[in-house]
Amino acid sequence: MATVVTLFYYLLTAYIAFLLIGNFLKRKNWQEEALTVIVLLPFILRLLRLK
Amino acid sequence: MIRKTVVAGFGVVLAVLAGSSFYRSRHLAEPVVAGPGVTRVATLGDYFEPVKGTINDSNVYVLEGREPGGTVLLLGGTHPEEPAGRLASWIFAENAELAQGRIFVILTANRSGSTATRLGGAYPPDYTIPTSWGGQKFRMGDRWSNPLDQWPDPEVYLHYPTRQELAYVDIRNLNRAFPGRPNGTLTERTCYAIVELIRREKVDIAIDFHEAELQYPVISTIVAHEKGADLAAAASMFISSVEGFAIGVENSPKALRGLSHREIGDATDAISLLLEAPEPFLDATRGRTDRALLLTGKDEFVVRAGKRGLLFEKIDENGWPIDIRVGRHTSTVLQILENWSADKPDRAVVVSGVPRYTEVVAKGTGAFLKDPGTAPAGKLFHE
């Protein structure tokens, strides 16, 4: 059961990372882009299993 | 487009810097030079197959004497963020020689927990103990198993088998998961493997090394299961009168489940004891959480808390250096073994080569760590 939940957790993490990348592409100024990149960072690291 | 590329590049640089630090921390190999008493090195997976090959398939250093006697288990790294416990067990594995009996030493009981640091705690990823050959680096570690290895946490953690409700995060705490569950989480299976070792090897005494914040009432003490109350009390009296430091005795509470001093004593024939040394690094009122604080135990804010009567252990500007904390552990174990052996000659465990408190304080912990560069063939292992 825990394995299945963990799988969903990683899928959710990938989905949010995908949304954040889309958000980054839509931003119009560098401050908001930098903020989005910083928010994205832990999601990318978690997908790479770096913690 | 150029702006977005520059900002994205900034993000990649941050990801590489953070990711490489996390990777190095998780994969840092800590050398262990098996000492003269080590006759073989097993792993926890040898005692419980489902742990085999997992990150918690920790090494078990087996020290055997020429004469048969009793059997003792030393648990280091149950909470890897309490380094004096791991270092004391390192000293036993690298220096101890046995004339009688056996000692099983686990340096990193929760190896998963040694590969992460506390979320939001700003812990250093590692620390170095100075030695005459340059210094040995250790992983800092955390109190809990790494979420990469065990996830998700439940809303409420129900301890097995008592179903006592504990804090959700403690489902990854090795010292809240004893006696373990064969089909449970990684942490529960690790506890089960340790308990299986104790049963199969007929361990007489299991000693779990810990450190505690000074704001925690259970500190500078031996926490003893009722089977070991007399042994702990006698050791406490001897230590407090001859060793140069004081140590108390606490009874293991029956109402708080999952801890080694309670569950190992209940689930097996072994006497279970837990040793606590003071570690200001863990105090909530601490200042900068860096390597210096970890190793010197000096912190002006913790001192100030002491002056306001908020602590359960003394502290001054000299702090609680790592050598004092390690020496407390080695001396306490040696005294326990001496008392046990005098009382049970047929189950004696007679050990030499391990420094006592005054020697560790005088020479430093690093004086008793062996140079992996000069290790004989077949004697070098890694944690």
Side-chain angles (χ1 to χ4, degrees):
Chain A
M1 183 60 185
T3 308
V4 175
V5 176
T6 301
L7 178 65
F8 276 106
Y9 173 79
Y10 276 94
L11 288 173
L12 191 62
T13 305
Y15 178 62
I16 293 173
F18 175 75
L19 291 179
L20 284 167
I21 291 169
N23 203 294
F24 170 76
L25 294 173
K26 286 181 196 162
R27 294 301 98 192
K28 299 293 183 195
N29 62 66
W30 73 268
Q31 289 95 334
E32 289 184 355
E33 287 169 355
L35 178 65
T36 310
V37 161
I38 289 168
V39 172
L40 177 63
L41 209 62
F43 290 89
I44 297 293
L45 292 176
R46 190 59 181 262
L47 286 172
L48 296 172
R49 290 185 56 77
L50 292 167
K51 193 172 183 65
Chain B
M1 190 61 191
I2 294 173
R3 191 191 67 229
K4 282 197 188 299
T5 306
V6 170
V7 174
F10 163 71
V12 170
V13 169
L14 284 183
V16 169
L17 288 175
S20 59
S21 172
F22 292 150
Y23 184 88
R24 281 198 307 272
S25 175
R26 186 166 167 83
H27 294 91
L28 175 68
E30 303 162 322
V32 183
V33 181
V38 176
T39 53
R40 62 187 169 95
V41 179
T43 71
L44 280 179
D46 296 336
Y47 295 94
F48 183 53
E49 182 65 26
V51 171
K52 200 78 177 171
T54 70
I55 192 162
N56 274 1
D57 191 12
S58 305
N59 288 338
V60 182
Y61 299 84
V62 185
L63 293 79
E64 296 173 292
R66 293 178 295 278
E67 300 292 326
T71 302
V72 171
L73 170 66
L74 302 181
L75 281 175
T78 298
H79 290 157
E81 67 170 359
E82 298 160 15
R86 292 191 79 209
L87 293 168
S89 55
W90 231 277
I91 286 178
F92 272 88
E94 293 197 333
N95 296 273
E97 198 160 5
L98 267 69
Q100 186 179 356
R102 302 185 301 167
I103 299 181
F104 289 71
V105 191
I106 301 177
L107 310 185
T108 322
N110 188 355
R111 197 162 69 187
S112 170
S114 76
T115 65
T117 54
R118 191 172 296 194
L119 295 178
Y123 281 14
D126 52 52
Y127 59 94
T128 299
I129 299 296
T131 66
S132 60
W133 42 269
Q136 182 161 332
K137 189 185 279 190
F138 296 87
R139 296 186 296 271
M140 172 66 232
D142 196 2
R143 182 178 176 86
W144 298 284
S145 302
N146 191 329
L148 286 179
D149 303 313
Q150 184 181 315
W151 193 261
D153 294 338
E155 291 291 322
V156 175
Y157 164 39
L158 293 178
H159 169 258
Y160 178 85
T162 64
R163 296 188 64 79
Q164 183 175 67
E165 288 186 13
L166 299 173
Y168 78 98
V169 73
D170 278 336
I171 197 166
R172 287 184 283 116
N173 183 344
L174 204 72
N175 203 31
R176 295 294 183 279
F178 282 105
R181 174 159 44 178
N183 59 348
T185 65
L186 174 69
T187 308
E188 288 175 318
R189 281 181 278 138
T190 306
C191 286
Y192 189 81
I194 293 169
V195 168
E196 277 296 288
L197 182 160
I198 291 168
R199 288 177 180 138
R200 282 167 54 179
E201 299 292 353
K202 302 189 187 325
V203 169
D204 295 293
I205 310 170
I207 301 175
D208 190 9
F209 292 120
H210 284 260
E211 294 192 89
E213 56 269 49
L214 281 65
Q215 288 172 310
Y216 186 59
V218 183
I219 190 166
S220 302
T221 193
I222 306 169
V223 187
H225 190 275
E226 52 269 22
K227 289 190 288 189
D230 291 347
L231 180 63
S236 165
M237 284 191 290
F238 275 98
I239 290 166
S240 299
S241 60
V242 301
E243 290 277 357
F245 67 92
I247 191 164
V249 178
E250 305 270 345
N251 292 321
S252 168
K254 291 181 179 176
L256 180 55
R257 309 307 308 198
L259 293 108
S260 64
H261 52 72
R262 167 53 41 201
E263 304 295 349
I264 289 175
D266 283 359
T268 73
D269 293 332
I271 289 171
S272 50
L273 306 172
L274 184 151
L275 312 186
E276 291 279 14
E279 186 186 359
F281 181 92
L282 298 176
D283 271 280
T285 55
R286 68 182 182 267
R288 189 176 176 191
T289 311
D290 58 8
R291 293 177 177 90
L293 173 56
L294 182 70
L295 298 180
T296 65
K298 293 179 183 175
D299 188 287
E300 63 174 292
F301 300 103
V302 179
V303 171
R304 207 178 294 174
K307 287 176 180 168
R308 284 163 174 70
L310 299 173
L311 306 180
F312 293 91
E313 177 56 281
K314 294 172 189 163
I315 186 170
D316 58 22
E317 64 281 359
N318 296 315
W320 280 98
I322 189 72
D323 299 330
I324 286 181
R325 289 141 54 194
V326 171
R328 290 177 67 98
H329 279 336
T330 60
S331 260
T332 304
V333 171
L334 293 173
Q335 192 60 57
I336 288 168
L337 296 184
E338 285 167 20
N339 289 15
W340 166 263
S341 301
D343 194 39
K344 310 251 187 212
D346 56 321
R347 300 293 297 167
V349 177
V350 180
V351 60
S352 62
V354 176
R356 301 190 90 97
Y357 173 79
T358 50
E359 199 175 356
V360 177
V361 173
K363 296 180 179 174
T365 302
F368 304 98
L369 297 176
K370 304 300 182 195
D371 182 0
T374 59
K379 287 284 190 179
L380 183 60
F381 298 85
H382 289 93
E383 288 292 307

